[in-house]
Amino acid sequence: MGLTNSQYDEIMRDYQRRQNQARRELVEREREVRERIPAFADLDEQIAAAGVACARAMLLDDRISPAGITAASAAMQDQIAVTDRQKTEDQADLRTLKESIDRISVRKAQLMKAAGYPEDYLQMRYECPDCQDTGYIGQQKCHCFLKAEIDLLYTQSNLREHYKEETFPAFSLRYYAEDLKDPSTGLTAAQMASHALEVCRQFVQEFDETAGNLFLSGGTGLGKTFLSHCIANALLETTHSVIYFSAYDLFELLADSSFGRTQEAEAGELERHIFECDLLIIDDLGTEQTNSFVASQLFHVLNERILRQKSTLISTNLSLGEMAERYSERVVSRITGSYQMLKLIGEDIRIQKKYGG
C-alpha cells in the first residue's frame, strides 16, 4: 500500500521544515560575516549590481539572427549587420561583467579565509546533501526519504523500540523439543515451530501478491508474539504499514471510539488505521475482558478487513473451541475460512531461558 496521503504530507512537511531551517541558519551566518567583515556588504552589493547588468546584457543579446534568411532587402541586410556588431559588443560586455563577478568572489573568499571562516561557511547546509532536503533526486525518492518512510511507519505501528531486534534471523528453534509431539498432528514441537517459521517467512515474501491472514495459537511463552514481531519488522522495512495492538488495547480504543470518549476526528483516524493498514496484528486475543461488545467488534474488524482484502495476524492462547465459546461460531467460521492456522507447543521459552534450558 505504501504511504497514505496524510503520511506522505507529514514527511514532506518535515522536508519543508528542514529547508526553512537551513535558510534561517544561512541568513544568520551571513549577518555574522557582515558584522565581522565590514567590506563584505559592499562586495555583495557589487556582485548584485554586476548580476543585474549580466541579466540585462543577456536579454539584449537575444536579437534577430540572419540564420534561415535566404533572401532579404538591402535595408534588412544592413540591419542584420548592425545587429551582429551589437551582439559582438554585448558579448564582450557580458564577459567583462562575469570576470568582474569572479574577481569580487575571489576577494570575498580571501576576506573569509583571513577572518578564519571555512570556504563553505556561506553555503546552504542540508541534512541530506544528496537531495538538498527535497526528498527526491530527479524523479526518484532519495535514500533519506525511504528512511523517513520506515521511521514514520515504525512510529505509527505501536511497536516499541526494542521490538526491532525481534527478527527472523533472531528466532531460534533450539527451545522447541524434538521428543514432544502434538497428539492431533503427530508432529514434534520442533517440527511445528520450524513449519510456523517457514510459513511466516513465506507470508512476508508473498505479501504484495496475496492478501493472506495468519492465526497463531499455542500456550504462553512459545514465541507467537516474537513471530508476530518478525513479520511486522520485515514488512515495515519494506515500507508497508503495520499496526500492532494487544487485544486489550484494541478493544479499549474501540470502546472509547464507539461510546464517544474520543473526538470524532480521532475516532475516524483510528478506524482508518485499523481497516486500511497493510497488516493489522491483534496479539494475545483472549486476554481482554470478553463481552458482547468485544465479540461484535472482533467480528466487524475481521470481516471488514477480509472484505477490503487487507491482511490480519491473530495470536492467542485459545483453542478454536474456546474461541467459539468466547466470541461466537461466526467469528471462528471467519477465521477457519480465511486464515492459515499455525500452532506452537512446548515449554515456556522465558522459563527455559531463566533456568538455562
Side-chain angles (χ1 to χ4, degrees):
M1 181 176 117
L3 297 179
T4 63
N5 289 338
S6 61
Q7 289 170 330
Y8 178 85
D9 290 343
E10 184 174 343
I11 291 176
M12 294 310 295
R13 281 195 297 272
D14 186 60
Y15 277 114
Q16 187 63 55
R17 177 199 61 76
R18 295 186 195 183
Q19 293 175 38
N20 292 339
Q21 180 65 22
R23 291 189 192 98
R24 286 194 294 269
E25 291 174 354
L26 176 59
V27 169
E28 180 59 27
R29 292 196 299 275
E30 289 173 340
R31 182 196 61 77
E32 174 196 336
V33 169
R34 289 192 184 97
E35 288 181 356
R36 287 194 58 189
I37 309 174
F40 217 79
D42 181 56
L43 293 176
D44 276 341
E45 290 178 2
Q46 291 180 39
I47 285 182
V52 171
C54 274
R56 184 181 298 113
M58 291 172 69
L59 287 173
L60 292 174
D61 191 45
D62 186 20
R63 297 167 186 255
I64 298 173
S65 170
I69 300 178
T70 57
S73 65
M76 177 63 75
Q77 294 292 348
D78 290 342
Q79 181 60 47
I80 290 172
V82 171
T83 299
D84 286 344
R85 286 195 300 274
Q86 185 62 53
K87 277 190 175 183
T88 302
E89 293 171 3
D90 290 344
Q91 289 168 355
D93 291 342
L94 190 58
R95 284 193 297 271
T96 301
L97 287 169
K98 288 180 178 179
E99 290 169 359
S100 176
I101 290 174
D102 290 340
R103 286 194 299 272
I104 297 170
S105 297
V106 169
R107 179 55 182 156
K108 287 177 65 178
Q110 291 171 342
L111 291 174
M112 291 278 293
K113 184 177 181 179
Y117 289 107
E119 289 184 9
D120 63 349
Y121 194 70
L122 293 183
Q123 295 177 10
M124 288 279 281
R125 295 178 179 175
Y126 301 103
E127 290 187 33
C128 179
D130 294 335
C131 69
Q132 298 186 345
D133 291 341
T134 63
Y136 284 83
I137 300 175
Q139 299 298 315
Q140 299 296 318
K141 289 180 180 177
C142 182
H143 58 84
C144 68
F145 191 103
L146 298 176
K147 183 180 183 302
E149 281 187 289
I150 293 171
D151 290 344
L152 176 62
L153 292 169
Y154 262 112
T155 299
Q156 297 183 346
S157 70
N158 285 335
L159 283 171
R160 296 183 177 88
E161 185 69 24
H162 66 276
Y163 290 161
K164 290 184 179 182
E165 300 174 1
E166 297 185 354
T167 61
F168 286 122
F171 186 86
S172 175
L173 295 172
R174 65 186 293 263
Y175 299 105
Y176 300 92
E178 296 280 0
D179 56 357
L180 177 64
K181 290 188 176 182
D182 179 56
S184 62
T185 64
L187 298 174
T188 66
Q191 288 172 329
M192 296 177 75
S194 179
H195 173 67
L197 177 59
E198 180 59 30
V199 169
C200 290
R201 287 182 184 274
Q202 188 175 2
F203 177 81
V204 170
Q205 292 169 0
E206 299 177 353
F207 191 82
D208 290 327
E209 287 75 41
T210 306
N213 304 290
L214 293 179
F215 184 84
L216 291 170
S217 64
T220 301
L222 295 182
K224 301 184 302 297
T225 298
F226 195 109
L227 276 175
S228 299
H229 294 162
C230 291
I231 291 171
N233 283 314
L235 291 176
L236 286 166
E237 288 296 329
T238 52
T239 67
H240 293 86
S241 57
V242 178
I243 304 295
Y244 172 93
F245 284 114
S246 70
Y248 177 85
D249 289 338
L250 174 62
F251 294 120
E252 279 289 302
L253 287 169
L254 289 172
D256 290 343
S257 175
S258 299
F259 301 128
R261 295 197 290 263
T262 57
Q263 297 293 326
E264 184 176 345
E266 184 180 346
E269 186 72 5
L270 171 65
E271 183 174 304
R272 184 183 65 78
H273 278 304
I274 290 174
F275 293 137
E276 288 298 326
C277 64
D278 294 330
L279 176 66
L280 173 67
I281 297 176
I282 306 175
D283 195 26
D284 278 336
L285 185 64
T287 56
E288 77 290 343
Q289 184 67 39
T290 308
N291 51 41
S292 58
F293 171 79
V294 168
S296 66
Q297 287 296 302
L298 177 60
F299 179 81
H300 177 56
V301 170
L302 301 187
N303 189 60
E304 188 66 28
R305 288 187 62 81
I306 290 170
L307 293 175
R308 299 188 188 200
Q309 296 187 315
K310 296 295 183 179
S311 296
T312 306
L313 187 158
I314 297 172
S315 74
T316 182
N317 297 345
L318 302 176
S319 67
L320 288 177
E322 291 169 328
M323 291 277 294
E325 290 179 9
R326 279 178 176 256
Y327 305 109
S328 78
E329 290 285 352
R330 67 175 186 163
V331 168
V332 172
S333 176
R334 268 303 191 202
I335 291 173
T336 55
S338 303
Y339 284 65
Q340 187 164 2
M341 315 299 286
L342 298 173
K343 184 179 179 181
L344 297 173
I345 63 172
E347 298 181 15
D348 191 319
I349 293 173
R350 288 184 287 267
I351 294 176
Q352 292 187 61
K353 288 181 176 180
K354 183 175 180 180
Y355 295 103

